[in-house]
Amino acid sequence: MSDGVVRWLAPVAVVIGLAVVGVFLWSGLQRDPHLLPSPLIKQPTPTFNLTRLHNPRKFMSQKIFLGHVTLFNVFASWCYACADEQDELMYISRHSHVRIYGLDYKDNRGEAKKWLHRFGNPYRAIAFDATGRVAIDWGVYGTPETFIIDKHGIIRYKQVGAIDAQVWRQILEPLIQRLRVTG
Amino acid sequence: MRILTAMLVLLLISSCFTLQASARATDSLHFVSPAAQARYNDLAYSLRCVVCQNQTLAESEAPLAADLRHLIAAQVNHGKTNQQIKRYLVERYGDFILYSPPLSALTIFLWFAPLGFLALALWRLLRRIRRRPQILDK
């Protein structure tokens, strides 16, 4: 390479390199560093077979997700933020066609039933995950967590942390609408 | 003599941390062999706690970390390989649970950019040195 070309090539490469790094750092500022992208998006839901919270002789499996759009919410009576979210879930259960199912995570049956009585029960049915083993299959690391599942049992979105009005209106509601129509 | 004393004190202090960590690492876990326990330790210390994200699974006090430690111990005892166990966890929690992100089109910049910049700087430095007039000793 001629000396003239090389003289500006190196500084330009450095500037471009720094610009690329800058773009990554800038976009990172918008995001919570503790939130992990889920590897389950666009995958079929994990398989499971758990007893139901209100009736230990009945079971719930992943087959319950087929044929409709589902909002699958992981909660626990010991989880502070879950109580915050319950109002919003009650609202959703009254104003949306989405089917709400629950996963009661590492909880006590009695405590969970009391909690639902106190904060509201928006769930069509609740699977009782006493050991949390099923939740591990869903990659749960911070309750509450909510999964939006399409009619074919494919996970389309995961929300870590409580759902508020903004999350519902801006993210979940439009997605659920789209999934109902297109499937 | 004083250096030796200082070193002994340092060793004593640091052993507090390692003993504490290894005590939690094994909790009430049982292993089918010393080899299994060694593999478990390798894994527990090389995987990130996704809740307390600056700690390994071995060190973290988060309940999920305890659950995952039990899971890893069970799989090790069942003869699953380290690779199988890591893949199991990555399938559920993503690459973040590993400390070193795997090489891919996305992460190749992360891995090689620092080296690239260093190489570039060294190259420019060498060129500059070569261009300087030589000073000859008499």
Side-chain angles (χ1 to χ4, degrees):
Chain A
M1 271 194 215
S2 80
D3 210 46
V5 173
V6 159
R7 195 165 283 159
W8 62 258
L9 188 66
V12 166
V14 170
V15 168
I16 291 177
L18 287 176
V20 170
V21 170
V23 165
F24 279 115
L25 290 177
W26 181 261
S27 68
L29 282 176
Q30 317 291 343
R31 285 185 249 147
D32 182 341
H34 289 105
L35 293 181
L36 309 183
S38 171
L40 297 179
I41 307 294
K42 303 241 176 72
Q43 302 294 321
T45 66
T47 59
F48 62 93
N49 198 28
L50 294 172
T51 61
R52 299 196 180 198
L53 175 68
H54 286 98
N55 185 351
R57 270 177 289 182
K58 281 189 82 183
F59 287 83
M60 190 197 291
S61 79
Q62 74 286 345
K63 297 200 195 110
I64 209 160
F65 301 134
L66 298 173
H68 46 255
V69 183
T70 302
L71 186 151
F72 192 49
N73 175 254
V74 183
F75 74 97
S77 63
W78 46 261
C79 157
Y80 246 35
C82 301
D84 283 344
E85 178 182 66
Q86 215 62 355
D87 276 346
E88 195 60 33
L89 287 178
M90 293 303 290
Y91 173 88
I92 295 170
S93 72
R94 289 185 202 116
H95 293 87
S96 169
H97 290 289
V98 73
R99 292 209 189 171
I100 304 178
Y101 290 103
L103 184 71
D104 188 18
Y105 175 62
K106 297 190 76 169
D107 213 342
N108 169 285
R109 272 188 211 267
E111 292 299 316
K113 284 189 253 187
K114 265 194 283 175
W115 187 87
L116 290 167
H117 218 73
R118 178 175 172 199
F119 291 103
N121 182 357
Y123 308 104
R124 280 174 162 249
I126 300 161
F128 185 64
D129 186 9
T131 61
R133 196 57 192 71
V134 168
I136 286 178
D137 283 341
W138 288 75
V140 169
Y141 67 98
T143 37
E145 291 191 5
T146 302
F147 297 84
I148 303 296
I149 304 162
D150 72 17
K151 303 177 198 171
H152 310 286
I154 308 290
I155 297 173
R156 302 300 285 250
Y157 187 79
K158 178 185 182 181
Q159 166 75 15
V160 178
I163 297 172
D164 60 18
Q166 193 179 23
V167 170
W168 169 248
R169 261 183 286 123
Q170 291 184 359
I171 305 174
L172 300 183
E173 188 177 27
L175 174 63
I176 288 166
Q177 260 311 98
R178 196 158 40 92
L179 292 175
R180 287 191 71 216
V181 172
T182 62
Chain B
M1 229 15 233
R2 280 170 68 202
I3 297 174
L4 192 64
T5 314
M7 282 171 66
L8 281 170
V9 171
L10 260 174
L11 190 66
L12 191 67
I13 294 173
S14 65
S15 73
C16 294
F17 294 103
T18 53
L19 279 174
Q20 187 185 53
S22 53
R24 185 175 311 119
T26 42
D27 292 10
S28 54
L29 298 170
H30 300 288
F31 297 97
V32 294
S33 69
Q37 180 161 7
R39 277 217 294 135
Y40 162 84
N41 277 316
D42 279 344
L43 286 166
Y45 278 98
S46 67
L47 292 165
R48 190 195 304 267
C49 172
V50 289
V51 180
C52 306
Q53 294 172 357
N54 59 342
Q55 291 184 303
T56 63
L57 279 181
E59 298 159 333
S60 172
E61 300 200 26
L64 178 64
D67 288 347
L68 290 178
R69 285 197 295 269
H70 277 85
L71 188 147
I72 292 171
Q75 294 203 0
V76 161
N77 283 329
H78 275 99
K80 294 276 195 289
T81 67
N82 284 15
Q83 199 184 20
Q84 282 173 314
I85 295 172
K86 282 186 182 173
R87 197 177 58 197
Y88 182 94
L89 292 170
V90 167
E91 272 171 9
R92 286 150 180 78
Y93 290 98
D95 292 333
F96 192 66
I97 202 167
L98 305 169
Y99 268 106
S100 34
L103 211 60
S104 78
L106 208 61
T107 59
I108 206 154
F109 187 75
L110 182 72
W111 279 100
F112 293 111
L115 276 175
F117 282 126
L118 190 66
L120 190 68
L122 277 173
W123 178 63
R124 297 228 53 200
L125 187 65
L126 280 170
R127 286 185 62 88
R128 188 132 319 149
I129 289 174
R130 279 207 211 101
R131 255 189 256 128
R132 269 205 232 121
Q134 308 285 5
I135 298 171
L136 299 167
D137 287 314
K138 279 283 191 237

